[in-house]
Amino acid sequence: MGFQVGKEMSPQEVEKRLGLGERLYMLDVREPAEWAAGHLVGAIHIPLGQLIERLDELDAAREVIVMCRGGGRSGLACELLGERGFSIVNMTGGLLGWTGEMTGE
C-alpha cells in the first residue's frame, strides 16, 4: 500500500470546528469497548477490522475525519479509505489528545 495520508487535523482543530457549529463527518475506528467508554457525539462507529465490509455505511461524497485512540489505526483506516476514493482527514494524536466533552452511550 503506497497511499500517503495527505490531510491531517489535530484534536484541538476538530474541537474548535465543532465548537463553531460545524457538522463534521467523523468516523471512529476504535474497538467497541473503547467506543462505549467515551466517543464524540455525532461520530460514526465502525471498528477498523470491520471497515472494508461496512464501506457502504459511509458517505463517499463527504470528507471523513477518521479517529482512533492514538492516531495509528486511524492512519491505516485513512489509507484503506483513500485507496477507495474517499476524501479523508486523519485526526492525529487521536482521542488521547482530546480535551473536550465525550459521551459514553
Side-chain angles (χ1 to χ4, degrees):
M1 288 193 247
F3 180 81
Q4 294 294 320
V5 174
K7 219 168 170 186
E8 297 180 337
M9 191 178 299
S10 72
Q12 294 77 25
E13 290 173 281
V14 172
E15 185 174 354
K16 180 180 178 183
R17 289 178 63 183
L18 288 172
L20 293 172
E22 285 190 57
R23 295 184 51 85
L24 303 176
Y25 193 63
M26 302 175 292
L27 171 64
D28 189 325
V29 296
R30 297 176 300 152
E31 293 301 311
E34 293 173 296
W35 169 265
H39 57 271
L40 301 187
V41 174
I44 298 165
H45 179 232
I46 303 176
L48 180 60
Q50 299 174 15
L51 187 57
I52 298 302
E53 294 80 31
R54 295 176 60 186
L55 286 177
D56 60 335
E57 296 177 35
L58 298 173
D59 184 350
R62 296 186 67 188
E63 181 177 74
V64 184
I65 298 173
V66 187
M67 63 191 67
C68 66
R69 182 173 179 267
R73 286 175 283 179
S74 61
L76 180 55
C78 284
E79 189 171 330
L80 293 170
L81 292 171
E83 288 175 341
R84 286 158 179 81
F86 284 82
S87 174
I88 46 87
V89 178
N90 187 19
M91 189 172 91
T92 57
L95 290 168
L96 286 175
W98 187 260
T99 58
E101 291 191 27
M102 290 198 283
T103 185
E105 300 170 351

